[in-house]
Amino acid sequence: MKKLIFFLLASFSLCFAKNELFSDKVISLYQNKDDTKVIGRLLPTNAFRIVKTEGDKLLLEISGFVNPKAPSVLYFNDYQRIIVAAFSKNAKLHFIKQSKGKNGKWNRASIQMWADKADFAKSDKEMLARASSLYTENCGICHTAHKINEFTANAWPAVFRSMADRTGIDKADRWLVIEYLQKNAKDFKKGK
Ligand code: HEC
């Protein structure tokens, strides 16, 4: 019995060791807990961690890569324009640099920002499946749906946006579909 309890506890803590959460919606970000001015947005399907909860606000930690030439965006990997979070240009941002990108690649960094309390998913699996059906159901009506690996990660946002208004895809779901398309693009590589 003792062994079983130990085993259950161990597997429980392993499952939640990373504490990663995901949202299928865009999350508004605030610099300070009581700010009402939104200074950034965290885009769907990108992992984040809750550092602490205060009242109806959460302090989130978001990680990614920063291009020193465009330091108001956190990207998913170290060379493609797949946005994790974007901030207003004049915001004073305190990125915590974790490592310097080699050979002109972008730096790995993280940032902490406040957000409103909400329910988040522990996995991105279901939201990615939903994005996939949104894509095939809506983008295959007038012509056969283009293969996702037909375009590069940097090309997909413009291709998608040029067609999005011809579809029934809700505005609230558009970033979800864009992120899904970019992360399955022909030249997609995960950041190291
Ligand atoms: C209402 C019909 C319709 C829907 C829905 C539609 N398309 Fe198209 N698509 C077209 C037509 C018509 C063309 C031919 C070029 C044009 O009209 O711009 C086209 C062309 C394209 C092209 C060829 C490149 C180009 O710009 O010429 C791509 C790629 C494409 N569509 C992707 C998509 C994606 C992705 C979606 C879903 C977001 C989508 N389409 C939804 C009608 C549609």
Side-chain angles (χ1 to χ4, degrees):
M1 190 63 191
K2 253 189 190 163
K3 255 189 187 159
L4 179 66
I5 290 173
F6 177 78
F7 173 76
L8 286 176
L9 277 176
S11 28
F12 184 79
S13 52
L14 262 182
C15 283
F16 294 96
K18 278 176 101 184
N19 275 323
E20 278 185 343
L21 293 171
F22 301 86
S23 168
D24 64 344
K25 300 271 176 321
V26 174
I27 298 176
S28 297
L29 301 172
Y30 310 90
Q31 187 123 49
N32 306 296
K33 185 172 68 101
D34 299 317
D35 288 356
T36 49
K37 194 171 151 236
V38 174
I39 68 146
R41 304 203 187 270
L42 170 61
L43 299 186
T45 77
N46 293 302
F48 58 91
R49 199 170 67 79
I50 295 178
V51 179
K52 62 177 172 183
T53 307
E54 279 183 25
D56 56 357
K57 296 280 177 181
L58 306 168
L59 182 63
L60 307 185
E61 185 170 284
I62 311 161
S63 300
F65 295 84
V66 176
N67 175 356
K69 288 183 193 137
S72 58
V73 182
L74 203 54
Y75 293 99
F76 189 76
N77 64 23
D78 57 5
Y79 71 109
Q80 289 173 314
R81 290 193 301 278
I82 305 171
I83 300 173
V84 169
F87 303 93
S88 63
K89 289 235 155 54
N90 42 17
K92 284 200 183 71
L93 301 169
H94 305 286
F95 286 110
I96 308 154
K97 200 200 274 181
Q98 286 160 346
S99 63
K100 198 167 160 44
K102 288 191 188 105
N103 307 322
K105 297 281 174 79
W106 304 335
N107 303 327
R108 180 186 273 281
S110 64
I111 198 165
Q112 294 191 350
M113 285 276 157
W114 290 91
D116 296 309
K117 216 177 200 175
D119 282 332
F120 300 118
K122 291 197 169 67
S123 154
D124 57 356
K125 216 169 147 194
E126 275 174 38
M127 62 187 74
L128 289 173
R130 192 164 77 78
S132 168
S133 13
L134 278 173
Y135 178 75
T136 46
E137 283 161 19
N138 288 279
C139 299
I141 295 175
C142 309
H143 43 70
T144 42
H146 286 252
K147 286 219 169 70
I148 305 177
N149 63 8
E150 186 180 323
F151 298 100
T152 60
N154 286 355
W156 257 125
V159 172
F160 177 83
R161 283 199 199 94
S162 74
M163 289 280 147
D165 283 340
R166 302 188 194 184
T167 71
I169 301 176
D170 227 47
K171 287 234 157 65
D173 284 329
R174 291 191 183 177
W175 272 115
L176 170 70
V177 180
I178 290 176
E179 292 273 324
Y180 160 76
L181 293 170
Q182 289 191 290
K183 289 171 182 174
N184 289 282
K186 70 170 169 194
D187 61 344
F188 172 74
K189 282 198 199 83
K190 235 181 139 151
K192 275 172 252 109

